[in-house]
Amino acid sequence: QVNDRRILNGVFAVCGVPESKFIPACSTVDKLDKVPWKEVRSEMVGEKGLSPEAADRIGEYVQLHGGLDLIERLLQDPKLSQNKLAKEGLGDMKLLFEYLTLFGITGKISFDLSLARGLDYYTGVIFEAVLLHQENEHVEEPVSVGSVAGGGRYDGLVGMFDPKGRKVPCVGVSIGIERIFSILEQRLKASGEKLRTTETQVLVATPQKHLLPARLKLISELWDAGIKAEMLYKKDPKLLKQLQYCEDTGIPLAAIVGEQELADGVVKLRDVATREEVRM
């Protein structure tokens, strides 16, 4: 979802909100993704001191969402097009959507006038990444799982810490790592799949003691052939421990070289899941 703070401020201005109430109005609009407009409106009037007329006018705008067509429509809007800030924001939003069209990703982007991002240091474009999932095929609208990243442009923030107060244009984003992890964990649980934390294709194993050189020689050959292989870096690990390591980490194959295999010039390849073995 994308919006622009200048568009929001322009909306507040043309709806008759005094400038001192832009930020409180903004933080109330930001709740629209969680509560219905009726509740947002009553907070605007009851707690933030906006007139009912101003709140109703704001409601006509902040419930709109779309793409280039909506931007074009708002650029023609008799009230908004007269507001300098809103016009600037809409111009930039149009440019952004032209770039998004070139990238072929407009289907994943919604220009959403209810997006406000509660913080007051944003000066331009603001955005949130929202994860959607379809409950079932009959659902018209995908259901939002919630915001997993958010950010925007803040051209005045860095300058606050500069003695000369220079303007430093910045765009930032923060990613909700914990939320993404919890969603991944839920998905994994639902699918019943085991998560592999390694790309290793084969574990080189030995069943007897004093065979570290055989392991090193074989793993070197596998690496040279571009095969992702690893071994336990203990001098004489027990075979059971090595096979257990494969099961724990999801390594699909074990290449076993014991005294007999060395004498016969073969390697025993074991499918960890099925426990089938072939000599080659």
Side-chain angles (χ1 to χ4, degrees), residues 66-83:
L68 257 176
D69 51 342
L70 176 60
I71 298 163
E72 296 286 8
R73 209 167 84 218
L74 292 173
L75 279 165
Q76 303 304 315
D77 183 286
K79 283 184 287 191
L80 261 192
S81 57
Q82 299 309 306
N83 181 278

Side-chain angles (χ1 to χ4, degrees), residues 72-109:
E72 296 286 8
R73 209 167 84 218
L74 292 173
L75 279 165
Q76 303 304 315
D77 183 286
K79 283 184 287 191
L80 261 192
S81 57
Q82 299 309 306
N83 181 278
K84 185 177 173 285
L85 268 182
K87 210 170 170 188
E88 270 178 32
L90 286 164
D92 276 4
M93 192 58 69
K94 186 180 176 184
L95 181 64
L96 175 64
F97 265 81
E98 283 167 5
Y99 291 157
L100 294 171
T101 306
L102 294 171
F103 280 128
I105 53 167
T106 46
K108 294 182 188 295
I109 316 285

Side-chain angles (χ1 to χ4, degrees), residues 121-139:
Y121 55 67
Y122 291 114
T123 54
V125 68
I126 43 177
F127 44 83
E128 267 183 25
V130 180
L131 208 63
L132 303 174
H133 72 88
Q134 217 95 33
E135 285 293 346
N136 54 50
E137 281 92 76
H138 312 298
V139 178

Side-chain angles (χ1 to χ4, degrees), residues 108-229:
K108 294 182 188 295
I109 316 285
S110 166
F111 168 43
D112 203 317
L113 275 101
S114 70
L115 178 68
R117 303 254 335 128
L119 300 162
D120 58 10
Y121 55 67
Y122 291 114
T123 54
V125 68
I126 43 177
F127 44 83
E128 267 183 25
V130 180
L131 208 63
L132 303 174
H133 72 88
Q134 217 95 33
E135 285 293 346
N136 54 50
E137 281 92 76
H138 312 298
V139 178
E140 290 296 312
E141 289 276 310
V143 186
S144 163
V145 178
S147 166
V148 290
R153 173 171 282 281
Y154 41 91
D155 288 352
L157 193 65
V158 176
M160 284 163 57
F161 305 99
D162 178 35
K164 295 195 174 123
R166 280 172 295 206
K167 198 175 172 192
V168 183
C170 295
V171 174
V173 60
S174 66
I175 294 173
I177 296 291
E178 288 92 343
R179 187 170 280 188
I180 291 171
F181 274 168
S182 69
I183 290 162
L184 284 173
E185 281 169 351
Q186 284 163 17
R187 278 188 181 174
L188 215 71
K189 218 173 179 179
S191 71
E193 271 180 60
K194 191 176 164 70
L195 180 66
R196 279 197 70 190
T197 55
T198 171
E199 290 188 355
T200 305
Q201 295 161 286
V202 60
L203 181 90
V204 175
T206 45
Q208 295 104 3
K209 287 184 174 182
H210 315 305
L211 288 174
L212 179 62
R215 262 185 293 156
L216 293 172
K217 188 168 180 292
L218 180 56
I219 202 166
S220 174
E221 282 179 37
L222 292 171
W223 285 339
D224 288 344
I227 291 164
K228 293 171 183 173

